[in-house]
Amino acid sequence: MPKTNSPGASSPVMQTPSKRTSSPTGDPSAQLISELRASVEKPKSEPKDRIIRTPKSRGTNVHSGLAGISVTNAMMREESPPTDAAMGSRHHPWLHLTSYELLTLRKRMKKNAIWKPSETMVAAELIDLGRGFDNYLAAKKQAEAEGTEFVDEANIASTKPELFINPTTPGGRPINRGMVLNAAKKRKREGLSELVDDQKESLSKKVLQSF
């Protein structure tokens, strides 16, 4: 009589063969190459903090309070001389230019607010303004002869006595090499302009005579 399994007996479990894991490509050499490449590659460095550079608020001369600004703005900071200021006062000193006059000269020469003119240019500018040592001596002599007040707030006789040892100085407006070259260039431009005008006039006459 054949044996039958009882209802409580467990049935044998069927085991399936396990599958071996393999690389995605199925090629072990490709996996080895990728691992070697990963080990050779340098790790990415973290970005450095950016250095924020603030714009310079000053010009070439950091010790000057006027550096980095235009001559026009610098003139607005200075006190303009009153219209009735006397010659020889602090607004119109005999032997030097005021800060406002220096800025005016810089603007006329198209320079920046810290440019310094030469001594020759300053002397020529003083003569153009009716000042300088020669004009100082002439005005003082005239005031003594007429008995009028002579203004000299700088007190040149006390502060610069060396100037009176040999007060005779050559007259005329002092000039330097740059001023001579500028004058020559101006004359050349004017001469070329006159030449062009003459050529235009001559050409116009020839055209009219041809009709």
Side-chain angles (χ1 to χ4, degrees), residues 65-107:
L66 297 178
I69 64 175
S70 65
V71 176
T72 303
N73 292 335
M75 291 180 67
M76 294 175 63
R77 296 186 179 186
E78 294 290 335
E79 178 187 2
S80 59
T83 55
D84 58 345
M87 198 74 73
S89 63
R90 67 182 183 88
H91 298 289
H92 300 299
W94 288 107
L95 300 183
H96 69 272
L97 298 174
T98 63
S99 299
Y100 189 85
E101 289 171 337
L102 282 172
L103 289 172
T104 304
L105 178 60
R106 291 178 181 123
K107 186 175 182 179

Short mmCIF file of all heavy atoms in Angstrom, two decimals, residues 65-107:
data_model
loop_
_atom_site.label_atom_id
_atom_site.label_comp_id
_atom_site.label_asym_id
_atom_site.label_seq_id
_atom_site.Cartn_x
_atom_site.Cartn_y
_atom_site.Cartn_z
N GLY A 65 45.15 115.95 -0.36
CA GLY A 65 43.71 115.94 -0.15
C GLY A 65 42.92 116.22 -1.41
O GLY A 65 41.72 116.00 -1.45
N LEU A 66 43.61 116.73 -2.46
CA LEU A 66 42.94 117.04 -3.71
C LEU A 66 43.11 115.94 -4.75
O LEU A 66 42.58 116.05 -5.84
CB LEU A 66 43.50 118.35 -4.29
CG LEU A 66 43.29 119.61 -3.45
CD1 LEU A 66 43.94 120.79 -4.13
CD2 LEU A 66 41.83 119.87 -3.19
N ALA A 67 43.88 114.87 -4.40
CA ALA A 67 44.13 113.81 -5.39
C ALA A 67 42.85 113.05 -5.67
O ALA A 67 42.04 112.81 -4.79
CB ALA A 67 45.20 112.86 -4.87
N GLY A 68 42.69 112.66 -6.92
CA GLY A 68 41.56 111.83 -7.30
C GLY A 68 40.31 112.60 -7.65
O GLY A 68 39.29 111.98 -7.96
N ILE A 69 40.33 113.94 -7.62
CA ILE A 69 39.15 114.71 -7.97
C ILE A 69 39.52 115.66 -9.10
O ILE A 69 40.70 115.93 -9.36
CB ILE A 69 38.59 115.50 -6.77
CG1 ILE A 69 39.61 116.55 -6.29
CG2 ILE A 69 38.21 114.57 -5.64
CD1 ILE A 69 39.07 117.43 -5.20
N SER A 70 38.53 116.16 -9.79
CA SER A 70 38.78 117.04 -10.91
C SER A 70 39.16 118.43 -10.42
O SER A 70 38.93 118.80 -9.26
CB SER A 70 37.53 117.13 -11.79
OG SER A 70 36.47 117.73 -11.07
N VAL A 71 39.75 119.20 -11.33
CA VAL A 71 40.16 120.57 -10.98
C VAL A 71 38.94 121.43 -10.67
O VAL A 71 38.96 122.26 -9.75
CB VAL A 71 40.99 121.17 -12.13
CG1 VAL A 71 41.35 122.62 -11.83
CG2 VAL A 71 42.24 120.36 -12.37
N THR A 72 37.85 121.21 -11.41
CA THR A 72 36.63 121.99 -11.17
C THR A 72 36.09 121.75 -9.78
O THR A 72 35.71 122.70 -9.06
CB THR A 72 35.57 121.64 -12.22
OG1 THR A 72 36.11 121.86 -13.53
CG2 THR A 72 34.33 122.50 -12.04
N ASN A 73 36.05 120.49 -9.35
CA ASN A 73 35.57 120.18 -8.01
C ASN A 73 36.52 120.71 -6.95
O ASN A 73 36.09 121.14 -5.86
CB ASN A 73 35.40 118.67 -7.84
CG ASN A 73 34.26 118.12 -8.67
OD1 ASN A 73 33.33 118.83 -9.00
ND2 ASN A 73 34.34 116.85 -9.01
N ALA A 74 37.82 120.69 -7.24
CA ALA A 74 38.79 121.24 -6.30
C ALA A 74 38.63 122.75 -6.16
O ALA A 74 38.78 123.30 -5.06
CB ALA A 74 40.21 120.90 -6.75
N MET A 75 38.31 123.43 -7.25
CA MET A 75 38.11 124.88 -7.18
C MET A 75 36.89 125.24 -6.34
O MET A 75 36.85 126.29 -5.70
CB MET A 75 37.96 125.45 -8.59
CG MET A 75 39.24 125.40 -9.41
SD MET A 75 39.05 126.09 -11.09
CE MET A 75 38.76 127.82 -10.70
N MET A 76 35.90 124.35 -6.33
CA MET A 76 34.71 124.61 -5.53
C MET A 76 35.01 124.55 -4.05
O MET A 76 34.30 125.15 -3.23
CB MET A 76 33.62 123.60 -5.89
CG MET A 76 33.10 123.73 -7.32
SD MET A 76 31.91 122.44 -7.77
CE MET A 76 30.58 122.80 -6.62
N ARG A 77 36.08 123.84 -3.67
CA ARG A 77 36.47 123.77 -2.26
C ARG A 77 37.23 125.00 -1.80
O ARG A 77 37.31 125.27 -0.61
CB ARG A 77 37.33 122.53 -2.02
CG ARG A 77 36.62 121.20 -2.26
CD ARG A 77 37.52 120.05 -1.87
NE ARG A 77 36.89 118.76 -2.04
CZ ARG A 77 37.44 117.60 -1.66
NH1 ARG A 77 38.63 117.61 -1.10
NH2 ARG A 77 36.81 116.46 -1.86
N GLU A 78 37.85 125.69 -2.76
CA GLU A 78 38.67 126.85 -2.42
C GLU A 78 37.83 128.12 -2.42
O GLU A 78 36.82 128.24 -3.10
CB GLU A 78 39.82 127.00 -3.43
CG GLU A 78 40.84 125.87 -3.37
CD GLU A 78 41.67 125.88 -2.12
OE1 GLU A 78 41.81 126.99 -1.52
OE2 GLU A 78 42.17 124.81 -1.73
N GLU A 79 38.31 129.08 -1.66
CA GLU A 79 37.63 130.38 -1.57
C GLU A 79 38.08 131.26 -2.73
O GLU A 79 39.28 131.53 -2.89
CB GLU A 79 37.97 131.04 -0.23
CG GLU A 79 37.37 132.42 -0.06
CD GLU A 79 37.86 133.11 1.19
OE1 GLU A 79 38.71 132.51 1.90
OE2 GLU A 79 37.43 134.25 1.45
N SER A 80 37.14 131.67 -3.53
CA SER A 80 37.49 132.56 -4.64
C SER A 80 37.78 133.96 -4.09
O SER A 80 37.13 134.41 -3.14
CB SER A 80 36.35 132.62 -5.65
OG SER A 80 35.16 133.08 -5.03
N PRO A 81 38.76 134.66 -4.67
CA PRO A 81 39.13 135.98 -4.14
C PRO A 81 38.02 137.00 -4.40
O PRO A 81 37.35 136.95 -5.43
CB PRO A 81 40.40 136.33 -4.92
CG PRO A 81 40.29 135.55 -6.19
CD PRO A 81 39.59 134.27 -5.83
N PRO A 82 37.81 137.91 -3.48
CA PRO A 82 36.81 138.97 -3.72
C PRO A 82 37.25 139.90 -4.83
O PRO A 82 38.45 140.06 -5.10
CB PRO A 82 36.75 139.70 -2.37
CG PRO A 82 38.03 139.37 -1.68
CD PRO A 82 38.43 138.01 -2.15
N THR A 83 36.30 140.51 -5.47
CA THR A 83 36.60 141.37 -6.62
C THR A 83 37.37 142.63 -6.22
O THR A 83 38.11 143.19 -7.04
CB THR A 83 35.30 141.76 -7.33
OG1 THR A 83 34.41 142.38 -6.39
CG2 THR A 83 34.62 140.54 -7.92
N ASP A 84 37.20 143.07 -4.98
CA ASP A 84 37.86 144.31 -4.54
C ASP A 84 39.12 144.04 -3.73
O ASP A 84 39.59 144.91 -3.00
CB ASP A 84 36.89 145.16 -3.73
CG ASP A 84 36.36 144.41 -2.51
OD1 ASP A 84 36.51 143.16 -2.46
OD2 ASP A 84 35.78 145.06 -1.61
N ALA A 85 39.68 142.83 -3.83
CA ALA A 85 40.89 142.50 -3.06
C ALA A 85 42.07 143.32 -3.58
O ALA A 85 42.28 143.43 -4.79
CB ALA A 85 41.20 141.01 -3.17
N ALA A 86 42.83 143.93 -2.67
CA ALA A 86 43.95 144.79 -3.05
C ALA A 86 45.15 143.95 -3.46
O ALA A 86 45.33 142.82 -3.00
CB ALA A 86 44.31 145.72 -1.90
N MET A 87 45.98 144.52 -4.33
CA MET A 87 47.22 143.88 -4.73
C MET A 87 48.16 143.85 -3.53
O MET A 87 48.40 144.88 -2.89
CB MET A 87 47.87 144.64 -5.88
CG MET A 87 48.91 143.85 -6.63
SD MET A 87 48.17 142.59 -7.68
CE MET A 87 47.50 143.64 -8.98
N GLY A 88 48.69 142.67 -3.21
CA GLY A 88 49.55 142.52 -2.05
C GLY A 88 48.84 141.94 -0.84
O GLY A 88 49.49 141.64 0.16
N SER A 89 47.51 141.79 -0.95
CA SER A 89 46.76 141.17 0.14
C SER A 89 46.94 139.66 0.08
O SER A 89 47.60 139.12 -0.81
CB SER A 89 45.28 141.54 0.05
OG SER A 89 44.72 141.02 -1.16
N ARG A 90 46.30 138.94 1.01
CA ARG A 90 46.44 137.48 1.02
C ARG A 90 45.76 136.85 -0.18
O ARG A 90 46.08 135.72 -0.55
CB ARG A 90 45.86 136.91 2.32
CG ARG A 90 44.35 137.06 2.47
CD ARG A 90 43.88 136.51 3.80
NE ARG A 90 42.43 136.59 3.94
CZ ARG A 90 41.60 135.64 3.54
NH1 ARG A 90 42.06 134.54 2.99
NH2 ARG A 90 40.29 135.77 3.71
N HIS A 91 44.84 137.57 -0.81
CA HIS A 91 44.17 137.06 -2.01
C HIS A 91 45.02 137.28 -3.26
O HIS A 91 44.84 136.56 -4.25
CB HIS A 91 42.81 137.73 -2.18
CG HIS A 91 41.87 137.47 -1.06
ND1 HIS A 91 41.27 136.25 -0.84
CD2 HIS A 91 41.42 138.29 -0.07
CE1 HIS A 91 40.48 136.31 0.23
NE2 HIS A 91 40.55 137.55 0.71
N HIS A 92 45.91 138.29 -3.22
CA HIS A 92 46.79 138.58 -4.36
C HIS A 92 48.20 138.86 -3.84
O HIS A 92 48.68 140.00 -3.93
CB HIS A 92 46.27 139.78 -5.16
CG HIS A 92 44.90 139.58 -5.73
ND1 HIS A 92 44.60 138.58 -6.63
CD2 HIS A 92 43.75 140.27 -5.52
CE1 HIS A 92 43.32 138.65 -6.95
NE2 HIS A 92 42.78 139.66 -6.28
N PRO A 93 48.89 137.85 -3.32
CA PRO A 93 50.25 138.09 -2.80
C PRO A 93 51.22 138.43 -3.93
O PRO A 93 51.02 138.04 -5.08
CB PRO A 93 50.61 136.75 -2.13
CG PRO A 93 49.73 135.75 -2.80
CD PRO A 93 48.46 136.45 -3.16
N TRP A 94 52.26 139.16 -3.56
CA TRP A 94 53.18 139.65 -4.58
C TRP A 94 54.03 138.54 -5.20
O TRP A 94 54.27 138.54 -6.41
CB TRP A 94 54.12 140.71 -3.97
CG TRP A 94 53.46 142.02 -3.69
CD1 TRP A 94 53.13 142.53 -2.46
CD2 TRP A 94 53.04 143.00 -4.64
NE1 TRP A 94 52.52 143.75 -2.59
CE2 TRP A 94 52.45 144.08 -3.93
CE3 TRP A 94 53.08 143.08 -6.03
CZ2 TRP A 94 51.94 145.21 -4.55
CZ3 TRP A 94 52.57 144.21 -6.65
CH2 TRP A 94 52.00 145.25 -5.91
N LEU A 95 54.50 137.59 -4.40
CA LEU A 95 55.54 136.67 -4.87
C LEU A 95 55.09 135.22 -5.06
O LEU A 95 55.92 134.38 -5.41
CB LEU A 95 56.73 136.69 -3.89
CG LEU A 95 57.41 138.04 -3.70
CD1 LEU A 95 58.60 137.90 -2.77
CD2 LEU A 95 57.83 138.64 -5.04
N HIS A 96 53.86 134.90 -4.84
CA HIS A 96 53.42 133.52 -5.08
C HIS A 96 51.94 133.50 -5.47
O HIS A 96 51.21 134.48 -5.23
CB HIS A 96 53.66 132.63 -3.86
CG HIS A 96 52.78 132.97 -2.69
ND1 HIS A 96 53.11 133.93 -1.74
CD2 HIS A 96 51.56 132.48 -2.30
CE1 HIS A 96 52.16 134.01 -0.83
NE2 HIS A 96 51.20 133.15 -1.15
N LEU A 97 51.54 132.41 -6.06
CA LEU A 97 50.15 132.22 -6.46
C LEU A 97 49.37 131.57 -5.32
O LEU A 97 49.88 130.73 -4.60
CB LEU A 97 50.06 131.32 -7.71
CG LEU A 97 50.74 131.83 -8.99
CD1 LEU A 97 50.69 130.76 -10.07
CD2 LEU A 97 50.09 133.12 -9.47
N THR A 98 48.13 131.98 -5.19
CA THR A 98 47.28 131.36 -4.18
C THR A 98 46.81 129.98 -4.65
O THR A 98 47.00 129.61 -5.83
CB THR A 98 46.06 132.25 -3.89
OG1 THR A 98 45.28 132.37 -5.09
CG2 THR A 98 46.49 133.63 -3.44
N SER A 99 46.19 129.24 -3.75
CA SER A 99 45.68 127.92 -4.11
C SER A 99 44.63 128.01 -5.21
O SER A 99 44.61 127.18 -6.14
CB SER A 99 45.09 127.23 -2.88
OG SER A 99 46.06 127.06 -1.88
N TYR A 100 43.80 129.02 -5.13
CA TYR A 100 42.76 129.20 -6.15
C TYR A 100 43.39 129.55 -7.51
O TYR A 100 42.96 129.06 -8.55
CB TYR A 100 41.79 130.30 -5.71
CG TYR A 100 40.56 130.41 -6.59
CD1 TYR A 100 39.45 129.60 -6.38
CD2 TYR A 100 40.51 131.32 -7.65
CE1 TYR A 100 38.32 129.69 -7.18
CE2 TYR A 100 39.39 131.42 -8.46
CZ TYR A 100 38.30 130.60 -8.22
OH TYR A 100 37.20 130.69 -9.03
N GLU A 101 44.42 130.40 -7.49
CA GLU A 101 45.08 130.77 -8.74
C GLU A 101 45.83 129.59 -9.35
O GLU A 101 45.88 129.45 -10.58
CB GLU A 101 46.04 131.94 -8.47
CG GLU A 101 45.33 133.25 -8.19
CD GLU A 101 46.28 134.34 -7.73
OE1 GLU A 101 47.37 134.00 -7.22
OE2 GLU A 101 45.94 135.52 -7.89
N LEU A 102 46.39 128.72 -8.50
CA LEU A 102 47.05 127.53 -9.02
C LEU A 102 46.05 126.59 -9.69
O LEU A 102 46.33 126.02 -10.74
CB LEU A 102 47.77 126.80 -7.88
CG LEU A 102 49.11 127.39 -7.43
CD1 LEU A 102 49.61 126.67 -6.18
CD2 LEU A 102 50.15 127.29 -8.54
N LEU A 103 44.88 126.45 -9.09
CA LEU A 103 43.84 125.61 -9.69
C LEU A 103 43.36 126.21 -11.01
O LEU A 103 43.09 125.49 -11.97
CB LEU A 103 42.67 125.45 -8.72
CG LEU A 103 42.94 124.57 -7.50
CD1 LEU A 103 41.78 124.65 -6.52
CD2 LEU A 103 43.19 123.13 -7.90
N THR A 104 43.26 127.54 -11.05
CA THR A 104 42.87 128.19 -12.31
C THR A 104 43.91 127.94 -13.40
O THR A 104 43.57 127.68 -14.56
CB THR A 104 42.71 129.71 -12.08
OG1 THR A 104 41.76 129.93 -11.02
CG2 THR A 104 42.23 130.40 -13.33
N LEU A 105 45.19 127.99 -13.02
CA LEU A 105 46.26 127.72 -13.98
C LEU A 105 46.22 126.26 -14.44
O LEU A 105 46.41 125.96 -15.62
CB LEU A 105 47.62 128.03 -13.34
CG LEU A 105 48.86 127.76 -14.20
CD1 LEU A 105 48.83 128.59 -15.47
CD2 LEU A 105 50.12 128.04 -13.39
N ARG A 106 45.97 125.35 -13.52
CA ARG A 106 45.88 123.92 -13.89
C ARG A 106 44.72 123.67 -14.84
O ARG A 106 44.85 122.89 -15.79
CB ARG A 106 45.69 123.07 -12.62
CG ARG A 106 46.92 123.03 -11.72
CD ARG A 106 46.67 122.22 -10.48
NE ARG A 106 47.83 122.21 -9.62
CZ ARG A 106 47.83 122.61 -8.35
NH1 ARG A 106 46.70 123.06 -7.80
NH2 ARG A 106 48.93 122.56 -7.63
N LYS A 107 43.61 124.33 -14.60
CA LYS A 107 42.46 124.15 -15.48
C LYS A 107 42.75 124.70 -16.88
O LYS A 107 42.38 124.10 -17.89
CB LYS A 107 41.24 124.84 -14.88
CG LYS A 107 39.95 124.60 -15.65
CD LYS A 107 38.76 125.19 -14.93
CE LYS A 107 37.47 124.88 -15.68
NZ LYS A 107 36.28 125.45 -14.99
#
